[in-house]
């Protein structure tokens, strides 16, 4: 990914001076939670150099002034979009969705009257494969899906992937995990292109997409009473403290006894003591205890 | 279809959580959610160490404790470290462990000035905590501080904690100090056992 029409920076250029690198990474960590160590230099240097060239900033200081003080925040957003890793695909780590429809949701709705709301949030949804997979799993496999009003939220800090999520057009590569009959049921070909499929409008319309940075407490205030949060393969890009803060945000967003689902390589026990691990037949989820006690 | 278009913010936000409300006042609100929000907001305010620490000293709700600890770690100054250390002497093991973990996440340059002197504290339990904290510091003097414990600390349990920390660091420069520890406690089988284990780690075996 290089920046627009600008030539990529010279591969042999020495990159940012260490003090500038540190200043910029501190700033990014503070704003996004994303943590870039020295080991990520190859990733950071090229992207920052490309953006600096695009806006004509001669020094990192000058560029940082733009990032900090530009009223529209546009440059910061462009840089953030370049700094995120957006890898995702349909039915990724499907056993966790199995866990949702086979165990977790039945527990969530226990004691709720028919017609009650159930809220599920994909935090860090990238191009949308995760929330659409959840929607399809619910419709296909949760026996009680028609008894409740299910609200699906999906958000990301990266404005460009979010736009693509809302558009809902996918290529073969990201659809591979999806059985053919589900593709036939929930997707339509785009024009005559054999490789592009668009998710049906009904599903696109059923998900509330929003531009949300999970480390921003003000933005998180819109999320309360959530029953299940999927935050998979996002916190791996944070440092320990950032993960702990994110866990704390999720705690507030969840309803009592609500669940967090992390990526397969991530463990809440190493992040925060706020949640209780729950081992279901398909997967481990992390549960918010009712105040002051165990679930 | 059972999926309905979502309506965010369906639940009203308590007034004390509103953006304009004073977060310091929020720390003593009767609602734990409001106290947590207040702590989250104070994480951006390095001047808020004492109100946060004062609340932590009396707070019993685990969720609020965690929010306050996280805020103090984020503030990360020497003052924040100093405010946390007295809690290591508390009876409550859950709180002690949470404090220990939190201080370990704070920057070494903030931690060292108040933790290193704790290595000489009169209470051996506190010295053990200090050893554990020093063991995780990113600081060039770390092996020397731990070697000093091996040479001088009168309490065998404090020395054993230092052996473990040195073993984790894995720097063979600590070997002479380990050998001398064997001479200091020749009768203690635990010392022999842990020094052996540490030696094996240095050899990468
Ligand atoms: C690797 S993708 C994972 C997508 C999906 N959850 C999955 O597991 O397939 C990580 C996503 O997290 C987003 N992200 C990173 N930091 C974020 C933040 N602070 N707030 C919201 N989203 C963030 C990135 O933009 C990216 O789209």
């Amino acid at each position: 990914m290089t920046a627009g029409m600008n030539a990529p920076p010279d591969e042999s250029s020495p990159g940012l001076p260490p003090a500038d690198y540190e200043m910029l990474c501190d700033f990014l960590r503070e704003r996004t939670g994303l943590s870039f160590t020295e080991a990520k230099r190859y990733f950071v240097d090229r992207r920052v150099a490309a953006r600096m060239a695009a806006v004509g900033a001669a020094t990192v200081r000058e560029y940082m002034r733009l990032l900090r003080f530009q009223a529209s925040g546009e440059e910061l957003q462009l840089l953030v979009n370049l700094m995120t890793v957006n890898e995702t695909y349909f039915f990724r780590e499907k056993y966790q969705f199995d866990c949702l429809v086979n165990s977790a949701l039945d527990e969530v709705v226990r004691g709720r009257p028919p017609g009650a709301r159930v809220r599920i949030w994909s935090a860090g949804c990238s191009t949308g494969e995760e929330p659409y997979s959840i929607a399809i799993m619910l419709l296909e496999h949760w026996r009680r899906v028609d008894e409740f009003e299910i609200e699906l939220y999906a958000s990301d800090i990266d404005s460009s992937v979010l736009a693509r999520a809302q558009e809902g057009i996918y290529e073969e590569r990201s659809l591979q995990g999806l059985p053919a009959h589900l593709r036939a049921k929930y997707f339509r070909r785009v024009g005559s292109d054999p490789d592009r499929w668009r998710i049906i409008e009904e599903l696109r319309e059923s998900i509330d997409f929003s531009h949300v940075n999970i480390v921003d407490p003000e933005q998180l205030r819109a999320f309360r009473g959530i029953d299940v949060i999927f935050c998979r393969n996002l916190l791996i890009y944070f440092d320990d403290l950032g993960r702990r803060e994110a866990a704390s945000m999720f705690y507030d967003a969840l309803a009592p006894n609500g669940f967090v689902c992390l990526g397969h390589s991530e463990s809440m026990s190493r992040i925060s003591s706020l949640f209780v691990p729950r081992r279901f037949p398909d997967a481990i989820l992390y549960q918010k205890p009712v105040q002051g006690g165990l679930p | 279809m059972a999926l309905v278009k979502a309506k965010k913010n369906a639940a009203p936000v308590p007034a004390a959580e509103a953006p304009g409300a004073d977060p310091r006042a929020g720390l003593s609100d009767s609602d734990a959610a409001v106290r947590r929000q207040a702590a989250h907001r104070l994480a951006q305010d390095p001047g808020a160490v004492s109100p946060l620490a004062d609340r932590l000293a009396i707070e019993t709700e685990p969720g609020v404790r965690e929010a306050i600890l996280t805020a103090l770690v984020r503030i990360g100054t020497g003052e924040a470290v100093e405010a946390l250390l007295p809690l290591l002497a508390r009876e409550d093991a859950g709180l002690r462990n949470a404090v220990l973990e939190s201080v370990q996440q704070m920057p070494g340059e903030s931690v060292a000035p108040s933790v290193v002197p704790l290595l000489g504290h009169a209470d051996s339990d506190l010295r053990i905590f200090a050893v554990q904290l020093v063991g995780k510091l990113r600081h060039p003097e770390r092996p020397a501080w731990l070697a000093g414990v091996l040479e001088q600390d009168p309490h065998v349990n404090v020395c054993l904690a230092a052996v473990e920390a040195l073993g984790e660091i894995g720097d063979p420069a600590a070997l002479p100090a380990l050998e001398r520890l064997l001479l200091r406690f020749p009768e203690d089988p635990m010392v022999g056992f842990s020094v052996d284990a540490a030696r094996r780690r240095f050899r990468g075996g």
Side-chain angles (χ1 to χ4, degrees):
Chain A
M1 230 190 280
T2 52
M5 308 198 304
N6 294 282
D10 180 2
E11 293 282 346
S12 65
S13 70
L16 306 175
D20 286 351
Y21 183 82
E22 204 183 309
M23 182 169 66
L24 189 99
C25 293
D26 279 352
F27 173 76
L28 281 174
R29 194 209 24 74
E30 188 187 302
R31 295 300 176 94
T32 66
L34 298 170
S35 160
F36 300 100
T37 56
E38 264 305 308
K40 293 284 173 66
R41 251 187 182 278
Y42 67 94
F43 184 91
V44 176
D45 277 349
R46 296 179 52 188
R47 288 166 172 77
V48 171
R51 285 312 311 161
M52 283 176 59
V55 298
T59 63
V60 171
R61 274 177 193 282
E62 192 185 328
Y63 183 56
M64 296 256 317
R65 264 198 299 280
L66 182 66
L67 292 178
R68 276 183 203 280
F69 301 118
Q70 187 184 40
S72 67
E74 190 185 343
E75 182 56 30
L76 177 59
Q77 186 64 58
L78 283 172
L79 182 65
V80 167
N81 290 1
L82 288 180
M83 301 304 279
T84 54
V85 175
N86 308 116
E87 161 77 7
T88 185
Y89 43 90
F90 278 90
F91 281 23
R92 180 179 196 177
E93 287 152 38
K94 174 170 175 290
Y95 63 94
Q96 299 188 325
F97 302 134
D98 290 332
C99 180
L100 179 75
V101 295
N102 293 337
S103 319
L105 284 178
D106 290 334
E107 223 178 86
V108 160
V109 299
R110 197 178 292 156
R112 287 191 199 178
R117 283 182 194 264
V118 173
R119 298 194 169 95
I120 302 174
W121 176 23
S122 162
C125 66
S126 188
T127 35
E129 285 87 334
E130 180 173 279
Y132 289 130
S133 296
I134 294 171
I136 293 172
M137 285 296 291
L138 290 173
L139 295 172
E140 292 292 315
H141 298 293
W142 191 35
R143 290 172 293 111
R144 306 184 62 184
V145 70
D146 289 321
E147 292 173 42
F148 297 93
E149 306 232 304
I150 304 167
E151 299 179 347
L152 279 177
Y153 302 97
S155 59
D156 203 283
I157 195 176
D158 180 335
S159 56
S160 68
V161 289
L162 207 55
R164 285 169 54 195
Q166 280 167 294
E167 197 182 22
I169 296 178
Y170 298 96
E171 293 178 3
E172 195 58 42
R173 187 174 43 86
S174 88
L175 289 165
Q176 270 165 10
L178 202 70
H181 72 280
L182 295 183
R183 185 187 300 200
K185 185 163 168 189
Y186 293 107
F187 292 79
R188 300 288 172 263
R189 259 187 221 287
V190 178
S192 57
D193 192 333
D195 191 36
R196 300 178 79 221
W197 298 75
R198 184 165 201 194
I199 196 137
I200 56 169
E201 188 181 352
E202 230 174 326
L203 281 194
R204 275 185 277 128
E205 288 302 312
S206 68
I207 295 176
D208 180 279
F209 286 100
S210 57
H211 186 211
V212 172
N213 174 1
I214 63 158
V215 302
D216 182 340
E218 295 309 321
Q219 293 187 6
L220 268 277
R221 292 156 54 83
F223 294 85
R224 289 292 184 265
I226 306 288
D227 294 302
V228 186
I229 297 175
F230 284 84
C231 182
R232 307 188 309 161
N233 308 300
L234 187 166
L235 298 181
I236 44 175
Y237 302 103
F238 284 23
D239 63 12
D240 286 342
L241 179 56
R243 290 180 192 139
R244 192 172 169 186
E245 288 174 329
S248 208
M249 299 288 166
F250 291 156
Y251 182 92
D252 291 327
L254 283 171
N257 291 329
F259 293 104
V260 179
C261 179
L262 298 176
H264 75 286
S265 65
E266 304 165 282
S267 159
M268 187 61 96
S269 319
R270 269 183 264 127
I271 298 177
S272 163
S273 56
L274 285 172
F275 297 87
V276 179
R278 290 288 311 279
R279 191 179 295 273
F280 291 106
D282 298 301
I284 295 176
L285 302 183
Y286 299 93
Q287 188 164 33
K288 171 180 174 171
V290 271
Q291 232 173 53
L294 297 176
Chain B
M1 193 177 291
L3 305 180
V4 300
K5 187 74 184 181
K7 284 192 282 307
K8 255 200 246 75
N9 233 345
V13 178
E17 261 195 69
D22 173 13
R24 285 164 203 247
L27 279 179
S28 46
D29 196 278
S30 59
D31 179 348
V34 174
R35 299 203 294 285
R36 283 178 48 76
Q37 283 307 304
H40 285 156
R41 286 170 58 198
L42 291 172
Q44 308 304 322
D45 177 1
V49 169
S50 34
L52 284 166
D54 290 349
R55 180 67 216 184
L56 182 59
I58 53 170
E59 180 63 57
T60 54
E61 180 68 42
V64 183
R65 279 183 176 178
E66 171 64 12
I68 295 177
L69 284 166
T70 312
L72 287 169
V73 176
R74 174 56 75 204
I75 291 174
T77 56
E79 188 198 356
V81 175
E82 269 171 43
L84 285 172
L85 292 177
L87 299 172
L88 290 175
R90 286 292 188 86
E91 284 295 305
D92 178 342
L95 180 62
R96 276 199 321 257
N97 286 335
V99 167
L100 206 60
E101 267 174 32
S102 299
V103 176
Q104 281 171 355
Q105 287 180 345
M106 298 170 89
E109 66 271 18
S110 304
V111 176
S114 38
V115 166
V116 173
L118 270 191
L119 292 173
H121 198 278
D123 177 347
S124 62
D125 284 336
L126 274 184
R127 296 206 299 282
I128 291 179
F129 289 137
V131 165
Q132 290 173 341
L133 289 171
V134 168
K136 294 270 158 43
L137 276 184
R138 248 174 277 148
H139 198 290
E141 295 275 344
R142 177 176 64 164
W145 286 324
L146 293 171
V149 171
L150 297 189
E151 314 225 338
Q152 282 155 21
D153 200 290
H155 202 300
V156 68
N157 287 347
V158 182
C159 294
L160 287 172
V163 173
E164 193 178 324
L166 283 166
E168 269 170 33
I169 299 169
D171 179 358
L175 271 171
L178 287 170
E179 304 296 342
R180 283 196 292 280
L181 182 69
L182 285 176
L183 299 176
R184 289 187 60 208
F185 298 97
E187 308 290 312
D188 193 316
M190 262 316 280
V191 172
F193 175 79
S194 345
V195 169
D196 267 352
R199 278 197 198 117
R200 272 199 303 279
R201 289 180 82 157
F202 294 159
R203 287 193 219 102

